[in-house]
């Protein structure tokens, strides 16, 4: 029995038959071997195996590659699904980094809680990953390399070939006469990983034998150190089993600089946000955490941002562009879609909020400009929205995104908050 079949058998023995196994199938030699080995073992174990292909739409032949993968799955009688993605953050992360984010986001969007995703990362990939992280100045967490198992949205991801070498994968593919794709970009040394693979590592291996084993040992030490740092961060932030967001800034300000950075990284990672660079992390500390009480400073990276309000630090999805000067004339019999907010206003929702709709037909939808007032039900007097928002602790960056509904030039409803007396 080959070492690859042994690894796959061990992995499938730990997976319940009720779990659907998905193979991340690029069509390259690594994923072709993984798909073949898993389907071979699954015939005896009774597991359901499916394949998912991510088309990054980078190469001109990507459609043909997807068709090739589909045909390979047809030969193996495996369900096949292809997803096309668009790359974001290319200027910040490069093509490789952007493709990785898009790929894993697609996996998270598709996989369910009973699903297990298997990827074909192997021991040589691990060496490359750790060295690249080292060259980029990564900390302890980055130098742990690829984990054998981790959460992936609602699902789980496993890397059963992480202790298998590239040579063993090539031998398996040849012995079973497998077909696979050769991405020409894999030979281009303009990409960091390819330069490392084709130019640097052959020289290193000539001098230092057993590099994979040595780096694997170092990765284990980093994993243990990372565990201790995570435990310290949770202790420093005085977290129980409930993960806070926002967090009181006083919990951070009582820490020294190194502990604060460690705590922030842990907090961001636990909230499933991407790690900021060292420079951005320093900006979060200086421009947001240590800013004045009334500051509305914001630091952004990728799709997220850090903000501060009432001595609390918020970790948020980056807000879409929104024009607070826009207005809509809304016939409440029909839904009103506000694209910049991802919000749909309906008569049913008005009723759910407690607005009496029997005398309403058309409303004007606007957004806060300043100076608006309303006489909320049961309050007995008019109050300006600024005061009401402050009393309700509505974050400043959300206030001009809350729809204001007018009838005959009178504000009758602040969406989700206050209804004018009489309505």
């Amino acid at each position: 029995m080959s070492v690859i079949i042994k690894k796959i058998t061990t992995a499938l023995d730990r997976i319940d038959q009720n779990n659907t196994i998905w193979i991340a199938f690029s069509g390259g030699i690594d994923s072709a071997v993984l798909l073949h080995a898993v389907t071979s073992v699954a015939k005896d174990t009774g597991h359901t195996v499916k394949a998912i292909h991510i088309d990054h739409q980078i190469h001109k032949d990507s459609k043909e590659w997807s068709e090739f993968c589909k045909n390979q799955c047809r030969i193996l009688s495996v369900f096949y699904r292809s997803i096309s993605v668009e790359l974001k953050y290319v200027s910040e992360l490069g093509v490789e980094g952007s493709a990785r984010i898009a790929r894993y986001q697609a996996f998270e969007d598709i996989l369910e809680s009973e699903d297990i995703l298997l990827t074909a990362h192997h021991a040589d990939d691990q060496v490359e990953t750790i060295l690249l992280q080292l060259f980029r100045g990564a900390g302890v967490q980055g130098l742990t390399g690829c984990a054998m198992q981790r959460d992936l949205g609602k699902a789980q991801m496993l890397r059963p070939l992480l202790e298998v070498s590239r040579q063993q994968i090539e031998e398996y593919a040849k012995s079973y006469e497998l077909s696979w794709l050769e991405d020409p970009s894999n030979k281009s040394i303009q990409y960091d990983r390819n330069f490392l693979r084709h130019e640097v590592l052959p020289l290193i291996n000539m001098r230092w034998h057993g590099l994979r084993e040595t780096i694997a040992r170092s990765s284990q030490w980093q994993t243990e150190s990372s565990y201790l740092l995570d435990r310290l961060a949770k202790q420093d932030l005085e977290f129980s089993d409930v993960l806070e967001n926002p967090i009181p800034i006083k919990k951070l300000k009582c820490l020294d600089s190194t502990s604060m950075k460690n705590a922030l990284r842990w907090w961001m990672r636990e909230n499933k946000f991407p790690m900021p660079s060292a420079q951005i992390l320093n900006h979060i500390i200086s421009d947001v955490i240590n800013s004045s009480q009334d500051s509305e400073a914001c630091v952004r990276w990728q799709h997220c941002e850090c903000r501060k309000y009432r001595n609390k630090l918020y970790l948020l999805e980056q807000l879409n562009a929104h024009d607070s000067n826009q207005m809509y004339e809304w016939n409440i019999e029909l839904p009103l879609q506000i694209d910049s907010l991802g919000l749909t206003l309906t008569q049913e929702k008005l009723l759910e909020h407690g607005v009496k709709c029997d005398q309403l037909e058309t409303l004007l939808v606007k957004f806060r400009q300043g100076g608006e007032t309303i006489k909320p039900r049961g309050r007995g007097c008019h109050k300006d929205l600024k005061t009401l928002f402050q009393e309700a602790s509505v974050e400043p960056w959300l206030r001009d995104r809350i729809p204001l509904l007018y009838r005959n030039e009178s504000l009758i409803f602040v969406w989700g908050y206050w209804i004018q007396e009489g309505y």
Side-chain angles (χ1 to χ4, degrees), residues 172-353:
Y172 182 101
K174 292 174 183 176
S175 67
Y176 285 96
E177 299 181 341
L178 302 184
S179 298
W180 63 86
L181 291 167
E182 292 285 359
D183 184 347
S185 68
N186 286 338
K187 298 185 182 298
S188 173
I189 60 173
Q190 68 171 314
Y191 298 111
D192 291 343
R193 185 176 289 271
N194 290 342
F195 178 76
L196 186 63
R197 179 181 302 169
H198 299 303
E199 300 290 327
V200 178
L201 281 172
L203 290 175
I204 293 178
N205 279 307
M206 288 175 59
R207 180 83 179 200
W208 288 279
H209 304 298
L211 184 65
R212 284 191 298 268
E213 293 75 13
T214 302
I215 288 185
R217 188 164 62 249
S218 178
S219 173
Q220 179 59 33
W221 305 150
Q222 299 299 328
T223 299
E224 293 179 6
S225 297
S226 179
Y227 166 77
L228 294 175
L229 287 172
D230 287 351
R231 194 168 73 174
L232 177 62
K234 186 174 180 180
Q235 177 180 309
D236 283 342
L237 291 174
E238 301 173 357
F239 276 9
S240 59
D241 292 333
V242 179
L243 187 62
E244 294 181 56
N245 185 13
I247 54 174
I249 286 179
K250 66 179 181 180
K251 287 187 176 183
L252 294 166
K253 285 195 169 182
C254 67
L255 303 175
D256 61 74
S257 175
T258 301
S259 298
M260 184 187 295
K261 291 177 182 178
N262 180 56
L264 286 170
R265 290 191 187 99
W266 177 83
W267 177 60
M268 293 170 181
R269 191 167 61 251
E270 289 296 300
N271 276 287
K272 312 299 183 185
F273 279 76
M275 283 296 100
S277 65
Q279 182 180 23
I280 288 176
L281 191 63
N282 285 331
H283 277 298
I284 291 171
I285 294 172
S286 61
D287 301 346
V288 182
I289 295 174
N290 292 329
S291 64
S292 63
Q293 175 69 28
D294 297 325
S295 172
E296 294 185 17
C298 172
V299 173
R300 297 185 176 92
W301 71 103
Q302 293 183 37
H303 61 271
C304 54
E305 58 190 31
C306 259
R307 293 178 180 267
K308 173 183 177 180
Y309 177 57
R310 293 191 172 178
N311 280 318
K312 287 187 176 181
L313 186 68
Y314 290 74
L315 185 59
L316 306 162
E317 293 284 342
Q318 195 169 132
L319 297 173
N320 295 327
H322 171 71
D323 180 8
S324 60
N325 292 313
Q326 61 188 319
M327 291 184 287
Y328 301 89
E329 192 170 293
W330 177 31
N331 176 357
I332 68 170
E333 296 291 332
L334 302 173
L336 174 65
Q337 175 70 34
I338 304 178
D339 293 333
S340 60
L341 302 177
L343 177 67
T344 301
L345 310 188
T346 65
Q347 184 174 346
E348 290 73 21
K349 290 180 180 178
L350 280 177
L351 291 168
E352 288 174 7
H353 286 301

Side-chain angles (χ1 to χ4, degrees), residues 15 25 37 44 67 75 79 99 113 120 130 158 160-161 222 231 259 285 313 349 368 376:
I15 299 175
F25 187 40
D44 297 325
E67 194 63 27
I75 293 170
F79 172 88
S113 57
I130 291 175
L158 300 179
L161 304 183
Q222 299 299 328
R231 194 168 73 174
S259 298
I285 294 172
L313 186 68
K349 290 180 180 178
R368 182 169 176 251

